[in-house]
Amino acid sequence: MKVVFLETVEGSGTRGEVKTVAAGYARNFLLPRGLAAPATPTLLMRAETLAKEEEERQRLLDEQAQELVGKLEGQRLVIPVRVGEQGRLYGSVTNGDIAEKAGEILGEEVDRRRILLPEAIRQVGVYTVPIRLSRNVTVELEVVVVDVEAPEGVDVAAEALVALALAEDEEPTIEPIEAVDDPGAAVAEVAPEPGNESSEESSGSEAAAVDPAATDPAGEPEGVPAQ
């Protein structure tokens, strides 16, 4: 069924957008709620105007969201919780808990649906959690879940968890092998020169010819340092 969206519906369409959707979805959800209407010729003429209005509205929302980004960037959300054995929580930390903490920083309520937490947190540690402030603006929050009864105190325990997380992220750097422009040059460096193929045999013969009387008390040939 072809409809014109009268309001923006996340995951479905934006205001002024003309789109074909499932008939059941349109009849049971979009049309009864006034979120969309059948794409009649009259409404299609209005669709472009609606789309421009939505574009301007979204631009203003993105600007407001950017201001919030400035308040949240570099902030650390420390959430103290009761912890059982092996660092597992007695409950869990949800997007609602994170939204509440973010709201304390912003000084305004944050919709928990803006917290893009894939699943509840059930273990102490450091987590990176995205928060969508508008359709086009998303910022990542550093969330530290820490034992509320940590002997050293919540703040110190949180710093220790962050330090541990940073240490685990660090990996040894492996220097790349320098490329050889001419592969034949590398072979030439190790290939024996003509006429020297028996150099190893000659060396062996010379070693065998050393006068045993010329060896030092350690049994090494004179002039050769002991290994």
Side-chain angles (χ1 to χ4, degrees), residues 76 125 144 147 151 191 223:
R76 180 180 298 161
V144 184
D147 187 356

Side-chain angles (χ1 to χ4, degrees), residues 10-207:
E10 288 293 334
S12 295
T14 58
R15 189 167 187 256
E17 183 177 2
V18 180
K19 194 172 183 180
T20 299
V21 299
Y25 177 56
R27 286 194 299 266
N28 298 327
F29 182 76
L30 296 176
L31 303 184
R33 290 170 172 77
L35 301 174
T40 62
T42 302
L43 192 54
L44 286 172
M45 293 176 63
R46 288 186 55 207
E48 185 176 352
T49 300
L50 292 173
K52 289 181 178 180
E53 292 175 353
E54 174 62 17
E55 183 178 352
E56 177 62 17
R57 186 185 76 89
Q58 189 59 52
R59 185 185 66 80
L60 295 174
L61 290 175
D62 290 344
E63 288 181 357
Q64 296 172 3
Q66 288 294 349
E67 295 179 1
L68 299 180
V69 169
K71 295 181 180 180
L72 289 172
E73 281 186 329
Q75 295 287 345
R76 180 180 298 161
L77 275 62
V78 179
I79 302 181
V81 293
R82 293 184 64 241
V83 179
E85 296 181 357
Q86 299 181 344
R88 291 192 62 83
L89 313 187
Y90 281 113
S92 62
V93 174
T94 65
N95 53 357
D97 299 318
I98 298 173
E100 182 179 350
K101 281 291 181 181
E104 293 176 2
I105 295 175
L106 296 175
E108 61 182 73
E109 185 176 351
V110 176
D111 189 340
R112 62 182 180 83
R113 291 174 295 181
R114 294 186 178 277
I115 308 299
L116 307 181
L117 185 66
E119 59 182 358
I121 298 172
R122 303 183 185 280
Q123 189 89 16
V124 296
V126 181
Y127 301 87
T128 300
V129 181
I131 173 173
R132 185 164 53 203
L133 299 172
S134 73
R135 187 190 308 156
N136 303 316
V137 179
T138 301
V139 63
E140 292 186 337
L141 303 176
E142 183 181 57
V143 178
V144 184
V145 180
V146 62
D147 187 356
V148 69
E149 298 178 350
E152 65 272 36
V154 169
D155 292 338
V156 175
E159 290 292 343
L161 286 173
V162 172
L164 178 61
L166 290 175
E168 290 177 347
D169 288 341
E170 292 180 355
E171 296 181 357
T173 302
I174 301 176
E175 294 294 336
I177 299 175
E178 185 176 353
V180 178
D181 295 334
D182 183 4
V187 175
E189 291 179 1
V190 299
E193 296 181 1
N196 292 337
E197 291 83 351
S198 59
S199 58
E200 293 184 0
E201 296 179 2
S202 299
S203 298
S205 299
E206 292 175 2

